[in-house]
Amino acid sequence: MARNTDMHWRLPLVCILWELAMIVLFGVFVRFNPEADAAGWQKEKAQGNVTSDVENDFYFRYPSFQDVHVMIFVGFGFLMTFLQRYGFGAVGFNFLLAAFGVQWALLMQGWFHTFEHGKILIGVESMIGADFCVGSVCIAFGALLGKVSPVQLLIMTLFQVTLFSVNEYILLDLLHVKDAGGSMTIHTFGAYFGLTVTAVLYRPNLEQTKDKQGSVYHSDLFSMIGTLFLWMYWPSFNSAISNHGDAQHRAVINTYCSLAACVLTTVATSSLLQKKGSLNMVHIQNATLAGGVAVGTAAEMMLTPYGSLIVGAICGIVTTVGFVYITPFLASKLHIQDTCGIHNLHGMPGLIGGIVGASTAAAATEGEYGKKGLIQAFDFTGKYSSRTPVIQGGYQAAGIAVSLAMALAGGAIVGGILKLPFFGDPTDENCFEDNVYWEVPGDEESNLYCMNDSNTKTGTDH
Amino acid sequence: MARNTDMHWRLPLVCILWELAMIVLFGVFVRFNPEADAAGWQKEKAQGNVTSDVENDFYFRYPSFQDVHVMIFVGFGFLMTFLQRYGFGAVGFNFLLAAFGVQWALLMQGWFHTFEHGKILIGVESMIGADFCVGSVCIAFGALLGKVSPVQLLIMTLFQVTLFSVNEYILLDLLHVKDAGGSMTIHTFGAYFGLTVTAVLYRPNLEQTKDKQGSVYHSDLFSMIGTLFLWMYWPSFNSAISNHGDAQHRAVINTYCSLAACVLTTVATSSLLQKKGSLNMVHIQNATLAGGVAVGTAAEMMLTPYGSLIVGAICGIVTTVGFVYITPFLASKLHIQDTCGIHNLHGMPGLIGGIVGASTAAAATEGEYGKKGLIQAFDFTGKYSSRTPVIQGGYQAAGIAVSLAMALAGGAIVGGILKLPFFGDPTDENCFEDNVYWEVPGDEESNLYCMNDSNTKTGTDH
Amino acid sequence: MARNTDMHWRLPLVCILWELAMIVLFGVFVRFNPEADAAGWQKEKAQGNVTSDVENDFYFRYPSFQDVHVMIFVGFGFLMTFLQRYGFGAVGFNFLLAAFGVQWALLMQGWFHTFEHGKILIGVESMIGADFCVGSVCIAFGALLGKVSPVQLLIMTLFQVTLFSVNEYILLDLLHVKDAGGSMTIHTFGAYFGLTVTAVLYRPNLEQTKDKQGSVYHSDLFSMIGTLFLWMYWPSFNSAISNHGDAQHRAVINTYCSLAACVLTTVATSSLLQKKGSLNMVHIQNATLAGGVAVGTAAEMMLTPYGSLIVGAICGIVTTVGFVYITPFLASKLHIQDTCGIHNLHGMPGLIGGIVGASTAAAATEGEYGKKGLIQAFDFTGKYSSRTPVIQGGYQAAGIAVSLAMALAGGAIVGGILKLPFFGDPTDENCFEDNVYWEVPGDEESNLYCMNDSNTKTGTDH
């Protein structure tokens, strides 16, 4: 009650400050890489590094980038519209944090990965990386949905993107781990970061908004738009930054298989655990995606189609069971209020994905990959040329632990920051309610409409 | 009333059984093809079969595959959400059957087409093929929408995918027929299969649910999401498995033209046949797509843009007339209760598409295609090297008849199986109603909401 | 009251006439270009012009084409569904006019650009061009939304496509101006054309439908589907017809950056200008897109990522301010009733985009582009080989003026034609109301439903 949720000065201030910082930092640091640079591409051609425009990385990755882009903005955005009175916040705040996040991620990831002669050189792969990084913020947002202000989200995004990039650097560069679809860097990190933040921000009186924590018929359909675009484009997600050729091709097939299997076991488990065998939309909206999360690391490896089916089938069960038993347990016993159930969809399947990746890497043989193929697939070159698959598997496993540790420690710190009292978060009774931060349309008009215009009224809108 | 629609054990059992079977069969049979296999792709390169990663079939077909994928899951799924109280079933059951169907189709089509040394070798074209095959099941589902249980749908999918693959094998391999966009194999087969099944499952007392067979305002908008994604991506559908180069390019242009023409004649006919000239959403949602169906066979041939316009324009009229006159006739006289009107959108235009394809093939000349181009376009090689366009046209026509016969015979048998009394289909009064198989949200909450929270209520949701 | 909005004969007549004209003209003029033609592609290969199928322009542009296609049909269509009772009209009429428009645009643009030996040769770039052209009609439709009949829209499309093509020819061919993303040809032209038409069609008594000019909760969510698909795919829009290689790559990055910046400043400005700092959905739906419009000309140039951020950030502010202050001013003082606020989203940002393009061109150096790169980027060949960047900048600026002049003059004439009394436009009290031109579902059914079926009622639909 006492809390002030007025965003009048705070939100504009943070947005403008953040954006000005981006402009300055981009001005100082960010340039096109040679494949996007007019002079640079001319030089590449003149030097014979490429023989045709079609060899520009753009044509290998842009279709996948666009699919990933849809997943971040429509996929995550609409997936979270299932709440009956938080559709604007779901899709709108997701839009806001992702739009800021990609800019900051281009910088952070650029400093770590494509920093040359004082400049960050960006191209299509940088944009995919930025979208991936922001994906982990969207995941964390899922735990906090309806309980935080947009200012809190922008601050969280700033810190989470930073921590994501550090963690990613440790995994990909220091541990030399493979994680093309981000089971560890995106899902495990994003989920446990978000869960820790929500635990720190625990609200003991959230029960009073129980009615608003449910869906309505059409909000569930909006949410299915998100689900389906995530599901359909996940093969692009897991293959977007894999090596050209067979690796991208294989990652798509493995993900496709895993996702298909996942749907059947989700339906089976949902029906089994509900009274009268009815299906629960929450399970269909979420658990059908677990198969994509769980092959995030291994999809580009020789996981094989039937391996993918097994992983997907298991994860459909795990995630659905999580929604039925683990989410309520976390909320009541551990004070982790996980609005969207990200622990079920990203936490557990992310960990499984890390383990599957470590195992698949450890089991790799020259027979499967070819001598040259094995070196290429795991980049066993330079100072890593002495690595064997088994050792690689060990490093992969270490990557899971590092991601988890970074998420828990980072989440605790960032949660503490977000608890500061001047960020305008809603009171408990105002959670999950759009009209705190949005102009919600239609009050008077629609009443008027119902009363005076009965001639034209239809089944909707009143 | 007497019937038991409880899915508690039946649905989980079927899902788990089906999925276990898939895992075992994939384990025994399915492997990556050389373009997706690490060792295989290395070998291709070493042998000089390919000179660059960009020649991997993945880059020729993956963008089209993703468009097809969207058509199957969002396109068909949302197209069927027009019913006011069956949105969950439309999009959810479509999701379920398609996810199972693609796995089974990878096996069935694999045994027929890419079976080598005891293994099925899959790649991006296999996934397109699987999605295509499932498309025919989605079509058949359209006739049954709201009247069957998910268990029935899974059983139908098992049989229909099998029959589809046999029919496809007869057409493509034995008759050596061209049907890249599936006018015959997908649309004609899917539609008449579904119509036969629904005829066998005839429900005499369906009139009592007449109110639920209509749409509401927002359900019609959800349905338009499906329509538009189908319409926009249909050029990808008809070109996805065409030959590289000019054939894919041409198939896109022809389909684009046909679909554009179709919209205008649909609007014209709809307005003409409604009282006061008002447009009917059902027509717009469906008949605008008939142009894509009707060039499914001929799009990759030299149909020419104006030929495509003519075909599209005719089909917009035929389909709209079908909705106004033929669907009611089929229901009352032939006891064919076709929920979505698939006879109008897939049946008749599918037949027209077969005929257009046969004619276009028969009219092909070396002048149009070039000597080498003609051989390539129709694959007049090996034992087919003596075929002439006219003979090819004859075989194409035979393909229509075979597809129709397979659909009718197969549909009769599968309909008979689905009639068995233990699959949990709904009673007549429960048809077109989500709460038979789904937890439908909002009952208590929303009442509460309406009564206690009038302050925040808006034009929606109550 | 007196006006007759019955479409019974008028709409079918126009649709059929238009479509017949298309068929005849396509028959006479339109053929495949060599990349889509069977014989033509064989010849290209035989002559050694291409060495591999992957060099077919199809593979460079088709993924971008599909994204553009989604923007036109789902993007613009759903963006306009925000009105509570005009969703059918928004998405349906947009569908109709775009489907006709692309056919006519293929002809008009073909005559100007790819007319050889009496034939228009079309390929994937022609389809992109046609979609672009139609985009400008969709923009103009935004100003007229809810106030015109479908017959008026079809007539407007006929004229606007014609004028667009003439204007485009003047800019691209006579002035030799670069405008790959259409800041001038699409946005400036489309917006000021539409604004002029709506000014001519001024309705003094529109206040009485004030209630219907607002949104409802779920209509705003439908609209966000349009917004997000426009936002996500805008990089494809601005790069679709750029030169192969670095130019397409660069255009994507610049647009991505501009759009991201735009979101933050939109949120900031919206919050700042609303009472209590609440966000307004109208701003989020529209102003977040201004960054895409404003780099339409310069995106393929060496605008640089930070330049793009600056342009995007400014346009988010300009557009939001426009919605709050300029739209009401235009309506009350200049009698320009701009339903969707296209002046804010396309008018002002389009002009800014033209200016940014002219400046970026004028500032181009050989250092940035490379000697050969500069010639290639601006096509300083043939009779334009003596052009310098500064002169090019001057021509670019002239392009803005020409587009504006063509829009104002053309809009005045076409507005006058549309004012003729026999096109069936709605009366003032029937504006923004679907049931004038559509069968609107659900009246009786839904009442029945509410009364008799309280057992199954949910939070929606009553």
Side-chain angles (χ1 to χ4, degrees):
Chain A
M1 235 177 257
R3 239 173 305 180
N4 180 0
T5 57
D6 191 332
M7 291 283 108
H8 219 158
W9 293 103
R10 284 175 285 196
L11 182 55
L13 192 74
V14 174
C15 286
I16 295 293
L17 261 178
W18 269 207
E19 193 53 49
L20 281 178
M22 291 304 108
I23 290 173
V24 171
L25 291 169
F26 268 59
V28 176
F29 290 110
V30 179
R31 298 294 179 271
F32 297 118
N33 78 15
E35 301 195 285
D37 188 81
W41 188 243
Q42 291 299 328
K43 202 187 284 180
E44 291 286 311
K45 281 174 160 179
Q47 293 177 345
N49 295 339
V50 294
T51 58
S52 160
D53 280 326
V54 81
E55 290 172 41
N56 195 304
D57 198 34
F58 180 75
Y59 301 105
F60 288 92
R61 305 208 186 276
Y62 187 62
S64 307
F65 160 72
Q66 272 299 358
D67 295 349
V68 170
H69 214 39
V70 172
M71 292 174 71
I72 301 298
F73 290 88
V74 160
F76 283 114
F78 272 90
L79 181 61
M80 296 190 282
T81 58
F82 70 99
L83 292 174
Q84 57 185 280
R85 294 290 301 166
Y86 210 71
F88 291 7
V91 80
F93 293 156
N94 185 71
F95 194 11
L96 173 62
L97 70 84
F100 165 63
V102 294
Q103 297 176 61
W104 180 228
L106 281 178
L107 287 163
M108 281 302 304
Q109 296 182 316
W111 281 316
F112 280 123
H113 296 296
T114 57
F115 195 59
E116 283 179 35
H117 308 299
K119 300 294 175 204
I120 292 166
L121 302 182
I122 66 171
V124 64
E125 200 170 332
S126 317
M127 296 193 301
I128 298 172
D131 271 39
F132 275 7
C133 175
V134 158
S136 87
V137 186
C138 299
I139 290 167
F141 177 34
L144 302 167
L145 186 73
K147 300 176 298 184
V148 289
S149 76
V151 170
Q152 286 178 303
L153 288 172
L154 284 171
I155 291 169
M156 184 179 85
T157 304
L158 179 74
F159 286 108
Q160 193 180 347
V161 166
T162 310
L163 290 165
F164 175 98
S165 305
V166 172
N167 184 53
E168 188 189 45
Y169 176 72
I170 297 173
L171 264 68
L172 303 192
D173 291 72
L174 304 187
L175 300 177
H176 197 67
V177 148
K178 302 297 282 184
D179 194 21
S183 288
M184 296 178 281
T185 53
I186 301 169
H187 299 288
T188 301
F189 174 78
Y192 289 99
F193 181 92
L195 292 167
T196 313
V197 171
T198 200
V200 175
L201 299 180
Y202 176 63
R203 289 169 176 270
N205 303 312
L206 216 51
E207 277 299 300
Q208 51 187 286
T209 57
K210 200 165 182 295
D211 52 323
K212 287 184 203 160
Q213 293 184 51
S215 60
V216 290
Y217 195 67
H218 279 173
S219 73
D220 268 327
L221 281 177
F222 278 115
S223 182
M224 278 305 289
I225 296 173
T227 298
L228 287 176
F229 275 102
L230 286 168
W231 192 90
M232 296 179 304
Y233 286 158
W234 216 295
S236 299
F237 193 95
N238 285 348
S239 66
I241 57 165
S242 293
N243 289 338
H244 294 172
D246 61 303
Q248 283 197 296
H249 202 152
R250 186 163 59 243
V252 160
I253 298 172
N254 282 329
T255 310
Y256 178 85
C257 288
S258 178
L259 286 164
C262 191
V263 175
L264 269 88
T265 54
T266 296
V267 168
T269 316
S270 180
S271 174
L272 204 62
L273 299 181
Q274 296 291 125
K275 61 176 179 170
K276 286 192 61 196
S278 293
L279 296 169
N280 187 322
M281 258 294 172
V282 172
H283 307 160
I284 309 301
Q285 282 156 4
N286 289 279
T288 51
L289 302 168
V293 175
V295 298
T297 306
E300 64 172 4
M301 304 177 188
M302 288 293 287
L303 179 59
T304 75
Y306 72 89
S308 305
L309 289 188
I310 294 171
V311 174
I314 291 171
C315 284
I317 297 169
V318 166
T319 300
T320 311
V321 168
F323 273 101
V324 178
Y325 297 114
I326 303 180
T327 298
F329 173 83
L330 291 181
S332 60
K333 304 297 174 190
L334 300 185
H335 290 179
I336 299 173
Q337 294 161 324
D338 179 4
T339 312
C340 295
I342 62 164
H343 184 253
N344 310 310
L345 175 50
H346 301 280
M348 294 186 294
L351 291 174
I352 293 173
I355 295 164
V356 170
S359 319
T360 312
T365 65
E366 283 192 5
E368 272 180 318
Y369 289 81
K371 195 178 170 65
K372 207 168 145 194
L374 187 66
I375 292 168
Q376 214 171 70
F378 294 98
D379 202 12
F380 288 158
T381 54
K383 62 177 172 172
Y384 303 103
S385 54
S386 63
R387 273 218 188 157
T388 64
V390 173
I391 296 175
Q392 178 69 20
Y395 278 99
Q396 295 279 143
I400 309 171
V402 171
S403 298
L404 206 50
M406 287 285 292
L408 296 175
I413 295 166
V414 174
I417 295 170
L418 297 186
K419 225 174 171 170
L420 293 174
F422 39 80
F423 296 138
D425 49 322
T427 58
D428 289 356
E429 64 264 32
N430 274 331
C431 283
F432 314 113
E433 173 57 53
D434 265 335
N435 72 7
V436 180
Y437 302 114
W438 296 86
E439 301 275 308
V440 176
D443 295 15
E444 311 93 61
E445 287 92 324
S446 99
N447 289 347
L448 206 86
Y449 201 70
C450 283
M451 284 180 288
N452 305 345
D453 201 12
S454 61
N455 224 17
T456 59
K457 87 178 168 192
T458 72
T460 329
D461 300 347
H462 40 86
Chain B
M1 232 178 258
R3 239 173 304 178
N4 179 2
T5 58
D6 191 333
M7 291 283 108
H8 217 159
W9 292 104
R10 283 175 284 195
L11 181 56
L13 192 73
V14 174
C15 286
I16 296 292
L17 261 178
W18 269 207
E19 192 54 48
L20 280 178
M22 291 303 108
I23 291 173
V24 171
L25 291 169
F26 268 59
V28 176
F29 290 109
V30 180
R31 298 294 179 271
F32 297 118
N33 78 15
E35 301 196 284
D37 188 80
W41 188 241
Q42 291 300 326
K43 203 186 282 179
E44 291 286 310
K45 281 174 161 178
Q47 293 176 346
N49 295 340
V50 294
T51 59
S52 160
D53 281 326
V54 82
E55 290 173 39
N56 195 304
D57 197 35
F58 180 76
Y59 301 105
F60 288 92
R61 306 209 185 275
Y62 186 62
S64 307
F65 160 71
Q66 272 299 358
D67 295 349
V68 170
H69 214 39
V70 171
M71 292 174 72
I72 301 298
F73 290 88
V74 160
F76 283 115
F78 272 90
L79 181 62
M80 296 190 281
T81 57
F82 71 99
L83 292 174
Q84 59 184 278
R85 295 288 302 166
Y86 210 71
F88 291 6
V91 81
F93 293 156
N94 185 70
F95 194 12
L96 173 62
L97 71 83
F100 165 63
V102 293
Q103 298 176 59
W104 181 228
L106 281 177
L107 287 163
M108 280 302 304
Q109 296 182 315
W111 282 316
F112 279 122
H113 296 294
T114 57
F115 195 59
E116 282 179 35
H117 309 298
K119 300 293 174 202
I120 292 165
L121 302 182
I122 66 172
V124 64
E125 200 170 331
S126 317
M127 297 192 300
I128 299 171
D131 271 39
F132 275 9
C133 174
V134 158
S136 87
V137 185
C138 299
I139 291 166
F141 177 34
L144 302 167
L145 186 71
K147 299 177 298 184
V148 289
S149 75
V151 170
Q152 285 177 302
L153 288 172
L154 285 170
I155 291 168
M156 184 180 85
T157 305
L158 180 73
F159 285 108
Q160 192 180 347
V161 167
T162 310
L163 290 165
F164 176 97
S165 305
V166 172
N167 184 54
E168 188 189 45
Y169 176 73
I170 296 173
L171 263 69
L172 303 192
D173 291 71
L174 303 187
L175 300 177
H176 197 67
V177 148
K178 302 296 282 182
D179 194 20
S183 289
M184 296 177 280
T185 54
I186 302 170
H187 298 288
T188 302
F189 174 78
Y192 288 99
F193 181 93
L195 293 167
T196 314
V197 171
T198 202
V200 175
L201 299 180
Y202 176 62
R203 290 168 177 270
N205 303 311
L206 217 52
E207 277 299 300
Q208 51 187 288
T209 57
K210 200 166 182 294
D211 52 324
K212 288 185 202 157
Q213 293 183 51
S215 61
V216 290
Y217 195 68
H218 281 173
S219 73
D220 268 328
L221 281 177
F222 278 114
S223 183
M224 278 305 288
I225 297 174
T227 298
L228 288 176
F229 275 101
L230 286 168
W231 193 89
M232 296 180 303
Y233 286 158
W234 216 295
S236 298
F237 194 94
N238 284 348
S239 67
I241 57 166
S242 292
N243 288 338
H244 294 174
D246 62 303
Q248 284 198 295
H249 201 152
R250 185 166 57 244
V252 160
I253 297 172
N254 282 330
T255 310
Y256 178 85
C257 289
S258 177
L259 285 163
C262 190
V263 175
L264 269 87
T265 54
T266 296
V267 168
T269 317
S270 180
S271 175
L272 205 61
L273 299 182
Q274 296 290 126
K275 59 173 181 174
K276 287 191 60 193
S278 294
L279 296 168
N280 187 323
M281 257 297 172
V282 172
H283 307 160
I284 309 300
Q285 283 156 5
N286 289 279
T288 52
L289 302 167
V293 175
V295 297
T297 305
E300 64 172 4
M301 303 177 190
M302 289 293 287
L303 180 57
T304 75
Y306 72 90
S308 304
L309 290 188
I310 294 170
V311 173
I314 291 170
C315 284
I317 297 169
V318 167
T319 300
T320 311
V321 168
F323 273 100
V324 177
Y325 298 113
I326 303 180
T327 297
F329 173 82
L330 291 180
S332 61
K333 303 298 174 191
L334 301 185
H335 290 179
I336 298 174
Q337 295 161 324
D338 179 5
T339 311
C340 296
I342 62 165
H343 184 253
N344 310 310
L345 174 49
H346 301 280
M348 293 186 295
L351 291 175
I352 293 172
I355 295 165
V356 170
S359 319
T360 313
T365 64
E366 283 191 6
E368 273 181 317
Y369 290 81
K371 194 177 169 67
K372 208 168 145 195
L374 187 66
I375 293 168
Q376 216 171 66
F378 294 97
D379 202 11
F380 288 158
T381 54
K383 61 176 172 173
Y384 303 104
S385 54
S386 63
R387 275 219 188 155
T388 64
V390 173
I391 296 176
Q392 178 68 20
Y395 278 99
Q396 295 279 143
I400 308 172
V402 170
S403 297
L404 206 51
M406 287 286 292
L408 297 175
I413 295 166
V414 174
I417 295 170
L418 296 185
K419 223 172 172 171
L420 294 175
F422 39 79
F423 295 138
D425 50 323
T427 57
D428 288 357
E429 64 264 32
N430 275 331
C431 282
F432 314 112
E433 173 57 54
D434 266 336
N435 73 7
V436 180
Y437 303 115
W438 297 86
E439 301 274 308
V440 176
D443 294 15
E444 312 94 58
E445 288 92 325
S446 99
N447 289 346
L448 205 84
Y449 201 69
C450 284
M451 286 180 283
N452 305 344
D453 202 13
S454 61
N455 224 17
T456 59
K457 86 177 166 193
T458 71
T460 330
D461 301 347
H462 42 88
Chain C
M1 232 176 259
R3 239 174 304 182
N4 180 1
T5 58
D6 191 332
M7 292 283 108
H8 218 161
W9 292 104
R10 283 175 284 196
L11 181 56
L13 192 73
V14 174
C15 286
I16 295 292
L17 262 178
W18 270 207
E19 192 53 48
L20 280 178
M22 292 304 109
I23 291 173
V24 171
L25 291 169
F26 268 60
V28 176
F29 290 110
V30 179
R31 298 295 180 270
F32 296 118
N33 77 15
E35 302 195 284
D37 187 80
W41 188 242
Q42 291 300 326
K43 203 187 283 177
E44 291 287 310
K45 281 174 161 178
Q47 294 175 345
N49 295 340
V50 294
T51 59
S52 160
D53 280 325
V54 83
E55 289 173 40
N56 195 304
D57 197 34
F58 180 76
Y59 301 105
F60 288 91
R61 306 210 185 274
Y62 186 62
S64 306
F65 160 71
Q66 272 298 359
D67 296 349
V68 170
H69 214 38
V70 171
M71 291 174 72
I72 301 299
F73 290 88
V74 160
F76 283 115
F78 273 91
L79 181 61
M80 295 190 282
T81 58
F82 71 98
L83 292 174
Q84 58 184 281
R85 295 288 302 166
Y86 210 71
F88 292 6
V91 81
F93 293 155
N94 185 71
F95 194 12
L96 172 63
L97 70 84
F100 165 63
V102 294
Q103 298 175 60
W104 180 228
L106 281 177
L107 287 163
M108 281 302 304
Q109 296 183 315
W111 281 316
F112 280 122
H113 296 296
T114 58
F115 195 60
E116 285 179 34
H117 308 299
K119 300 293 174 202
I120 293 166
L121 303 182
I122 66 171
V124 64
E125 201 170 330
S126 317
M127 297 193 299
I128 298 172
D131 271 39
F132 275 9
C133 174
V134 157
S136 87
V137 186
C138 300
I139 291 167
F141 177 34
L144 302 167
L145 186 72
K147 300 177 297 185
V148 288
S149 77
V151 170
Q152 286 178 302
L153 288 172
L154 285 170
I155 291 167
M156 184 179 84
T157 305
L158 180 73
F159 286 107
Q160 193 180 347
V161 167
T162 310
L163 291 165
F164 175 98
S165 306
V166 172
N167 184 54
E168 188 190 46
Y169 175 73
I170 297 172
L171 264 69
L172 304 192
D173 291 71
L174 303 187
L175 299 177
H176 197 68
V177 147
K178 302 296 280 184
D179 194 20
S183 288
M184 296 177 281
T185 53
I186 301 170
H187 299 288
T188 301
F189 174 78
Y192 289 98
F193 181 93
L195 292 167
T196 313
V197 171
T198 200
V200 175
L201 299 179
Y202 176 62
R203 289 168 177 271
N205 303 312
L206 216 51
E207 277 299 299
Q208 52 188 287
T209 57
K210 201 167 182 292
D211 53 323
K212 287 185 203 157
Q213 293 183 51
S215 60
V216 290
Y217 195 67
H218 280 174
S219 72
D220 268 328
L221 282 176
F222 278 114
S223 182
M224 278 304 289
I225 297 173
T227 298
L228 287 176
F229 275 101
L230 286 168
W231 192 90
M232 296 180 304
Y233 286 158
W234 215 295
S236 298
F237 193 94
N238 284 349
S239 67
I241 57 165
S242 293
N243 288 338
H244 294 173
D246 61 303
Q248 284 198 295
H249 201 153
R250 186 165 57 245
V252 160
I253 298 172
N254 282 330
T255 310
Y256 178 84
C257 289
S258 178
L259 285 164
C262 190
V263 175
L264 269 87
T265 54
T266 296
V267 168
T269 317
S270 180
S271 175
L272 204 62
L273 300 182
Q274 295 291 125
K275 63 174 180 174
K276 286 191 61 193
S278 293
L279 295 168
N280 188 324
M281 258 296 171
V282 171
H283 307 161
I284 309 301
Q285 283 156 4
N286 290 280
T288 52
L289 301 168
V293 175
V295 298
T297 305
E300 65 171 5
M301 303 177 189
M302 289 292 288
L303 178 59
T304 74
Y306 71 90
S308 304
L309 290 188
I310 294 170
V311 174
I314 291 170
C315 284
I317 297 168
V318 167
T319 301
T320 310
V321 168
F323 273 101
V324 178
Y325 297 113
I326 302 179
T327 298
F329 172 83
L330 291 180
S332 60
K333 303 298 173 191
L334 301 184
H335 289 180
I336 299 174
Q337 295 161 324
D338 177 5
T339 312
C340 295
I342 62 164
H343 183 253
N344 310 309
L345 175 50
H346 301 280
M348 293 186 293
L351 291 174
I352 294 172
I355 296 164
V356 170
S359 319
T360 312
T365 64
E366 283 192 7
E368 271 180 319
Y369 289 81
K371 194 177 170 66
K372 207 168 144 193
L374 187 65
I375 293 168
Q376 215 170 69
F378 294 96
D379 203 11
F380 288 158
T381 54
K383 62 176 171 172
Y384 304 104
S385 54
S386 62
R387 274 219 189 155
T388 63
V390 173
I391 295 175
Q392 178 69 19
Y395 278 99
Q396 295 279 144
I400 309 172
V402 171
S403 298
L404 206 51
M406 287 285 292
L408 297 175
I413 295 166
V414 174
I417 295 170
L418 296 185
K419 226 173 170 169
L420 294 174
F422 39 80
F423 296 139
D425 51 322
T427 57
D428 289 357
E429 64 265 30
N430 274 331
C431 282
F432 314 112
E433 173 57 55
D434 266 335
N435 71 9
V436 180
Y437 302 115
W438 296 86
E439 300 275 308
V440 177
D443 295 14
E444 311 93 61
E445 286 92 326
S446 100
N447 289 347
L448 205 85
Y449 201 67
C450 284
M451 285 180 286
N452 306 344
D453 202 11
S454 61
N455 223 18
T456 59
K457 85 176 166 192
T458 71
T460 329
D461 301 346
H462 41 87

